[in-house]
Amino acid sequence: MPELPEVETIRRQLAPLVEGRTLERVNILDARWSRPLAPHELADALRGREVERLGRRGKYLVWSLSDDVHLAQHLRMTGTVLFDPDPEPTHVRVRIGLDRGSRLVIVDPRRFGTGELLLGGEALDAFLHARLGPEPFDERFTVEYLQTSARGRTAPIKAFLLDQRRVAGVGNIYADEALYRAEIHPLRAAGTLSAEQHARLREAVIWALQAGIEARGATIDDFRHVDGVWGSFQDRFQVHRREGEPCARCGTTIVKLVAAGRGTYVCERCQPPPRGARVDARRRSGRRRNS
Ligand SMILES: [Zn+2]
């Protein structure tokens, strides 16, 4: 799934190509994309408007159009936006014709992506505010914020990071990389982290996302850039998807476990498991006696 760095990469590539351009033709081919509006209702609201600004908030790509009309686009699992693709790709959900002959194509094989219409800046702010916590690069994302919002929470810290209402934009890849860098086990209860660990985690989240943006995102599954080129952050993964490989810091074999319902990769020497998690890991690997 595209996370903050992948969405930001798309935004940076696309913004200079679309800002100031008019959406002349809008053809929504999949009613799931425009829900709750019918495809023609959403298309009518977008058609003829100029793109004033292409922004991003969390994993949303925010199209701000003339007359204070906004489209909050979420790519979900496999969505992407291609500019003037050649040849025509498969799994096209939306086709948009711009002035001067260019076109945008929204591709989404798994069809979970959405485009939601917001009329007015206030409606946009309310929509995003209800769904998203602070941006990791925002000054509101402080150690104190992390401590306060984690206080008393028994859910694993990984689940906390994946919760978009806590911090916007972090998904499975960048959560694993940040927790490894901060030397915190993903199954640690969020409320049990020390102030120093919260400080390390904050720094690590920002570092991982920044490194991801610099590498133009990670290419796994179907993520593609606007121009069809792939990002390279997957080559810099320290722990994610490296099960069975030695940890770069200590040489211990990286293991895969499940945290927050997601495949999660850890070095259990650098990231000491909380009491109980180690037992679970032994059970999973089938070494329990009398079993
Ligand atoms: Zn290690």
Side-chain angles (χ1 to χ4, degrees):
M1 174 196 270
E3 304 180 30
L4 188 155
E6 288 75 33
V7 179
E8 178 62 18
T9 297
I10 291 176
R11 190 200 68 76
R12 288 183 183 187
Q13 293 182 325
L14 208 49
L17 301 170
V18 300
E19 285 176 352
R21 309 286 295 274
T22 301
L23 310 181
E24 286 193 342
R25 281 162 282 112
V26 180
N27 193 1
I28 299 169
L29 307 171
D30 185 350
R32 276 172 65 167
W33 194 82
S34 60
R35 272 193 318 217
L37 296 182
H40 74 271
E41 291 175 301
L42 181 54
D44 286 349
L46 304 178
R47 189 179 305 114
R49 297 194 190 281
E50 183 187 313
V51 180
E52 292 184 344
R53 183 168 176 270
L54 183 64
R56 180 196 55 75
R57 179 78 169 84
K59 302 178 197 171
Y60 284 93
L61 209 47
V62 180
W63 300 74
S64 291
L65 310 177
S66 44
D67 304 315
D68 210 14
V69 168
H70 307 269
L71 179 77
Q73 182 188 358
H74 203 299
L75 302 170
R76 300 289 168 197
M77 300 286 288
T78 57
T80 194
V81 187
L82 301 174
F83 186 85
D84 273 344
D86 181 32
E88 178 74 5
T90 52
H91 307 296
V92 173
R93 301 294 167 219
V94 181
R95 214 177 264 128
I96 296 174
L98 301 172
D99 58 295
R100 305 203 296 274
S102 314
R103 66 204 169 91
L104 289 171
V105 177
I106 296 172
V107 168
D108 192 352
R110 306 263 317 257
R111 298 177 60 207
F112 291 115
T114 52
E116 298 192 54
L117 182 70
L118 285 315
L119 299 176
E122 270 182 36
L124 175 67
D125 289 346
F127 175 89
L128 296 172
H129 186 76
R131 288 161 179 79
L132 302 174
E135 287 289 307
F137 304 127
D138 191 286
E139 57 185 20
R140 285 194 298 145
F141 185 60
T142 61
V143 177
E144 293 69 35
Y145 168 79
L146 270 178
Q147 276 184 286
T148 308
S149 47
R151 190 165 296 146
R153 306 234 158 239
T154 54
I157 187 63
K158 176 147 178 186
F160 179 91
L161 288 178
L162 295 181
D163 182 347
Q164 301 299 297
R165 291 164 303 178
R166 304 284 164 210
V167 48
V170 179
N172 205 32
I173 295 173
Y174 296 93
D176 279 4
E177 293 297 315
L179 287 165
Y180 171 79
R181 183 176 176 88
E183 303 186 11
I184 297 167
H185 197 281
L187 292 174
R188 278 283 301 273
T192 65
L193 266 55
S194 67
E196 196 225 324
Q197 285 174 318
H198 278 299
R200 283 214 308 264
L201 184 59
R202 177 185 168 276
E203 183 275 335
V205 164
I206 293 170
W207 172 85
L209 295 171
Q210 198 76 58
I213 291 172
E214 281 164 20
R216 302 170 87 223
T219 300
I220 53 174
D221 304 326
D222 288 295
F223 174 67
R224 269 190 296 173
H225 288 151
V226 170
D227 53 8
V229 173
W230 313 97
S232 66
F233 191 63
Q234 69 281 2
D235 302 333
R236 295 175 58 186
F237 288 169
Q238 297 282 300
V239 68
H240 189 74
R241 296 200 176 201
R242 298 194 58 177
E243 183 184 17
E245 294 179 36
C247 165
R249 275 195 300 245
C250 76
T252 302
T253 303
I254 291 164
V255 295
K256 181 179 182 183
L257 45 86
V258 175
R262 307 290 300 272
T264 297
Y265 300 82
V266 290
C267 169
E268 290 201 309
R269 185 159 177 206
C270 293
Q271 300 163 270
R275 216 183 278 267
R278 212 186 280 274
V279 175
D280 290 344
R282 263 191 238 120
R283 281 199 189 124
R284 264 196 308 279
S285 64
R287 279 185 275 131
R288 189 173 48 160
R289 259 191 288 180
N290 307 324
S291 63

